[in-house]
Amino acid sequence: MKICAACCTELPQSNFSKKQWKLKQYERRCTDCIHANRELQLKPPPRTIKEEDKPTCYICLDDGPDESDGEVVRNCSCRGSAGFVHPSCAVKYAEQKYDNRKQGDEDPWRICPNCHQDYIDELALHLAKMFVSFIEKNHPHNHTLILRAHVTRLESLTTKIHNRSYTQTKEAEQVANSILHKVGQMNLRQIPITYQDRVYEAYAYEILGCMIVEEEVKRKLPNALRYFEKSLEVSTANNFEHGILRAKGLIRMANSKLFGQVNDDSLKSHKLMYEQRLKWSGESHNDTIKSGMHYAKELKCNHFGVKAERLFIELYGISARYHGLDHEVTKDVSSKRAHYMVRVVSVPSNEAGRFQSTRALSTQDYYNDNAVFYQLRQYNDESFERCVVKGPLLYSDISFQ
């Protein structure tokens, strides 16, 4: 319902033309008033700087709530006054564009048409949920499209939202299991299973394993390993290169947490996954930046602190340039860089009390209560065989933020 500025009556959308419906309240006239040539009665309110800067939906051009009281939001990489949209308008836009798009066009359910970056947070969740409903209603017999919609929903719950709640985690588990159930039903009913269906299946196994790892409960890690091994099995059987690479890396990571194994293979896997993501998605994609952060963390854990810091600096520059300083991904890179880039070394001594070579610390070493820490000031190369340090420091003297 909106108010006609001529008769000052609140009327439904059917009483307005499409053009009039999109106008501001003090500019809008219903169809009857236009035919009767009635003049506008409402006047625009006094404008203030704050009101002039009020965000406006780029689709309906209204700055107020939509029919369901949804406010304009901006969960993408747009900056300035661009990119604000009502969730309902974004859904309508995606419904109109999806079936008519050409090969190679961006997915309107996932990507903002203005900044060409993925939606995140609440808007990504809402669009993904409505995408499932849209596909199930309009393409009920296209099993691959249905799986794709559920995968989009799963991605929104796991990789597109920050500070995921317990309820959202459980919902993600349900969606992943639903994908696996649908593939199983297709197999039982002898419905042809495509290569893309198997990719979605491998991804569902991978996410289930990752969510177990996130819980940081050691006794549950064998279950995560089984999911990663199943993902590897499906990816290998279908020659899914990226899936094979990711599954192997995740298996090494789970073994590292389970048995305390840290080795060069794990570091190489993270490096390869980051390089593949760069190749397939480009440097500005959210998933590429996140993959880069995982690689930087692995570098730090394997005593390559300088390389890790350089990568964090590079990732921060890319994220700030493409997504802006206020974007959640940029903030995430900044906070993790501050945590992992503590410049500290230890100077261990042997039994005779003579100092051995200086060693750059990994994040795991910070929690060794018996270590003697020194602040790293200068160094000759990445081996840290010669460096200038200040100290010794107590563990409480080291700031991790």
Side-chain angles (χ1 to χ4, degrees):
M1 302 283 283
K2 290 187 178 181
I3 296 176
C4 169
C7 63
C8 301
T9 306
E10 190 174 18
L11 301 168
Q13 186 174 357
S14 58
N15 287 59
F16 298 90
S17 66
K18 290 183 179 180
K19 179 181 178 181
Q20 292 292 322
W21 182 258
K22 293 180 179 180
L23 295 177
K24 303 285 186 182
Q25 179 173 299
Y26 52 83
E27 300 173 336
R28 186 187 308 121
R29 291 193 297 174
C30 65
T31 305
D32 291 341
C33 288
I34 291 175
H35 290 160
N37 199 27
R38 295 192 185 101
E39 294 184 359
L40 296 169
Q41 301 298 317
L42 296 181
K43 295 183 179 180
R47 305 288 291 185
T48 65
I49 294 176
K50 185 175 181 180
E51 288 173 336
E52 287 175 356
D53 293 338
K54 192 173 182 181
T56 301
C57 174
Y58 73 86
I59 294 177
C60 72
L61 305 180
D62 202 343
D63 56 9
D66 60 12
E67 291 182 341
S68 58
D69 291 328
E71 298 289 346
V72 291
V73 296
R74 181 169 66 182
N75 291 147
C76 59
S77 299
C78 288
R79 281 168 273 185
S81 60
F84 290 97
V85 66
H86 291 113
S88 60
C89 291
V91 169
K92 291 176 183 177
Y93 175 85
E95 288 176 342
Q96 293 170 0
K97 293 290 183 180
Y98 186 76
D99 285 336
N100 297 322
R101 65 194 179 118
K102 299 177 183 178
Q103 186 174 4
D105 287 353
E106 295 173 341
D107 185 347
W109 294 99
R110 295 176 53 250
I111 298 174
C112 170
N114 300 306
C115 64
H116 308 290
Q117 300 291 337
D118 284 18
Y119 291 117
I120 60 171
D121 293 329
E122 295 303 321
L123 185 55
L125 289 174
H126 179 70
L127 284 168
K129 185 176 182 179
M130 298 307 295
F131 182 35
V132 172
S133 300
F134 173 80
I135 293 298
E136 289 180 342
K137 178 182 177 181
N138 293 280
H139 305 277
H141 304 298
N142 191 327
H143 299 282
T144 298
L145 261 185
I146 292 173
L147 283 177
R148 179 177 181 177
H150 283 275
V151 166
T152 300
R153 178 69 174 152
L154 183 57
E155 286 178 334
S156 72
L157 287 162
T158 55
T159 65
K160 303 295 168 56
I161 188 169
H162 296 79
N163 302 318
R164 187 171 68 247
S165 67
Y166 175 80
T167 302
Q168 289 166 338
T169 298
K170 290 301 175 184
E171 185 178 354
E173 291 177 358
Q174 292 174 0
V175 175
N177 282 311
S178 174
I179 292 169
L180 297 177
H181 176 73
K182 290 179 185 299
V183 174
Q185 288 296 308
M186 290 168 66
N187 195 34
L188 286 174
R189 293 161 58 187
Q190 297 184 340
I191 297 173
I193 299 178
T194 67
Y195 169 83
Q196 196 62 45
D197 297 335
R198 292 301 186 188
V199 170
Y200 297 149
E201 180 186 15
Y203 180 71
Y205 280 122
E206 177 187 313
I207 291 298
L208 286 171
C210 286
M211 286 192 290
I212 292 175
V213 172
E214 284 181 5
E215 294 182 35
E216 297 185 347
V217 180
K218 191 171 182 178
R219 61 181 173 80
K220 293 185 178 181
L221 286 176
N223 293 332
L225 267 173
R226 283 192 283 272
Y227 281 127
F228 294 148
E229 288 166 353
K230 191 66 179 175
S231 180
L232 178 60
E233 178 186 328
V234 174
S235 297
T236 302
N238 292 274
N239 198 27
F240 177 36
E241 181 183 353
H242 187 56
I244 294 170
L245 189 63
R246 285 187 57 82
K248 286 183 176 179
L250 291 168
I251 288 170
R252 292 190 184 97
M253 178 269 294
N255 279 321
S256 174
K257 289 180 176 292
L258 191 59
F259 304 111
Q261 301 172 352
V262 179
N263 51 50
D264 290 341
D265 287 340
S266 179
L267 184 60
K268 289 177 182 177
S269 295
H270 280 84
K271 181 181 179 181
L272 286 171
M273 284 191 285
Y274 175 52
E275 290 173 345
Q276 289 291 341
R277 182 61 72 179
L278 272 171
K279 177 182 176 182
W280 291 332
S281 304
E283 66 176 11
S284 66
H285 197 280
N286 292 346
D287 292 343
T288 303
I289 295 171
K290 290 176 183 178
S291 179
M293 285 193 286
H294 289 310
Y295 175 41
K297 177 182 176 181
E298 195 71 15
L299 282 168
K300 184 69 173 176
C301 289
N302 282 272
H303 305 286
F304 292 99
V306 175
K307 287 184 177 180
E309 181 167 2
R310 288 171 180 166
L311 180 53
F312 267 118
I313 292 171
E314 181 183 347
L315 293 172
Y316 179 78
I318 291 170
S319 188
R321 184 165 66 253
Y322 284 99
H323 304 293
L325 297 177
D326 294 329
H327 196 276
E328 291 297 335
V329 172
T330 308
K331 293 178 180 178
D332 197 20
V333 177
S334 180
S335 65
K336 282 186 169 59
R337 179 193 169 204
H339 179 78
Y340 288 114
M341 292 308 103
V342 181
R343 291 206 170 195
V344 180
V345 295
S346 67
V347 185
S349 59
N350 57 23
E351 293 181 359
R354 300 183 65 183
F355 288 113
Q356 298 174 342
S357 61
T358 302
R359 184 167 68 98
L361 295 182
S362 75
T363 51
Q364 296 168 336
D365 298 322
Y366 294 146
Y367 306 101
N368 181 359
D369 294 332
N370 298 320
V372 179
F373 300 113
Y374 292 79
Q375 183 181 3
L376 179 62
R377 292 297 185 89
Q378 299 176 25
Y379 50 89
N380 62 331
D381 56 34
E382 293 174 11
S383 68
F384 297 93
E385 291 181 355
R386 288 188 178 185
C387 56
V388 177
V389 297
K390 177 185 177 181
L393 306 173
L394 298 175
Y395 175 79
S396 57
D397 294 330
I398 303 175
S399 173
F400 293 95
Q401 299 297 334

